[in-house]
Amino acid sequence: MASAALELLGLALSIFGWAGAMLAAGLPMWQVSAFVEANIVTAQTTWEGLWMACVAHSTGHMQCKVYDSILSLPAELQTGRTLMVLAALLGLVALLVTVVGAQCTNCVRAGRVKTWIAAVGGGLFAFCGLLVLIPPSWFANIIISNFYNPTTHSKRELGAALYVAWAASALLFLGGALIFCPCAGKEESSAFPVKYAAPRRPTSTANGEYDKKNYV
């Protein structure tokens, strides 16, 4: 019962992490640049994401534009796109595998195979968390390095999407571990089953004496 509860908790955390990863991939706030030009009235904030760039004016208007060319994008953008898309697809596969191997479903007969299927699903969720962790960490490293570089004129700050991606990665790691660990412990405990033999009752012969051969 406890292992089934941990498995359901891990599955719920993994689903939230997977949804958070897809949300972070779609948000344009990976890099945020706030500046004020010579005219203090024309203040604007620039948001840059994996797929588009947006400019929010102080008047409340916002303009977004999708990147025109993929090949002209920097390496971190191309790699971030690829890894986040792979993480979304892998999360879907991990969800299907985990549901098939979960203790609360009857897709596969209970046994060693069902336990291993659930463990594979937990491992896939953890690997999905690793894929989600790489792009925001790479972006954060570039943003911080350029911010403290005196030769860089356009400064950038960490956007909200980076924190969402980090939180999603943590949920995927934690959920995958909760799914994998109970399955591994269950498999280890079932490797050496304990068998109990009921004691035999002594039988009596025709003379009323007990049979010593059958007495345990």
Side-chain angles (χ1 to χ4, degrees):
M1 182 64 71
S3 62
L6 288 177
E7 193 175 80
L8 289 177
L9 178 60
L11 181 59
L13 293 178
S14 299
I15 292 176
F16 281 118
W18 178 48
M22 291 187 292
L23 176 63
L27 288 176
M29 294 173 290
W30 284 63
Q31 301 182 76
V32 179
S33 175
F35 60 92
V36 177
E37 296 180 353
N39 188 359
I40 195 172
V41 179
T42 60
Q44 62 183 11
T45 303
T46 303
W47 298 342
E48 297 178 4
L50 295 178
W51 311 95
M52 66 181 69
C54 298
V55 177
H57 300 277
S58 59
T59 57
H61 296 284
M62 180 181 296
Q63 297 176 346
C64 295
K65 181 181 180 181
V66 180
Y67 298 127
D68 296 329
S69 177
I70 299 177
L71 298 179
S72 62
L73 297 176
E76 63 271 14
L77 272 177
Q78 298 184 17
T79 307
R81 282 184 173 188
T82 304
L83 292 180
M84 296 303 286
V85 171
L86 288 178
L89 296 178
L90 184 61
L92 178 60
V93 175
L95 176 61
L96 296 177
V97 172
T98 305
V99 169
V100 170
Q103 301 181 30
C104 58
T105 60
N106 296 324
C107 300
V108 180
R109 181 179 298 179
R112 181 174 297 180
V113 176
K114 188 179 182 68
T115 303
W116 274 108
I117 291 176
V120 169
L124 290 177
F125 272 125
F127 185 69
C128 180
L130 178 62
L131 294 180
V132 176
L133 179 63
I134 295 175
S137 301
W138 191 355
F139 268 79
N141 183 36
I142 295 176
I143 293 172
I144 295 174
S145 299
N146 292 335
F147 186 84
Y148 291 105
N149 188 1
T151 60
T152 304
H153 299 286
S154 59
K155 305 294 184 180
R156 298 290 187 271
E157 295 180 358
L158 301 179
L162 299 182
Y163 299 99
V164 175
W166 282 326
S169 177
L171 289 177
L172 287 169
F173 275 123
L174 181 59
L178 290 178
I179 296 172
F180 182 83
C181 292
C183 297
K186 184 178 179 182
E187 181 67 21
E188 183 178 356
S189 62
S190 62
F192 301 97
V194 179
K195 297 181 179 180
Y196 297 93
R200 298 180 181 179
R201 299 183 60 183
T203 57
S204 59
T205 59
N207 297 331
E209 298 179 353
Y210 289 108
D211 188 2
K212 296 181 179 179
K213 295 181 179 181
N214 297 329
Y215 182 74
V216 179

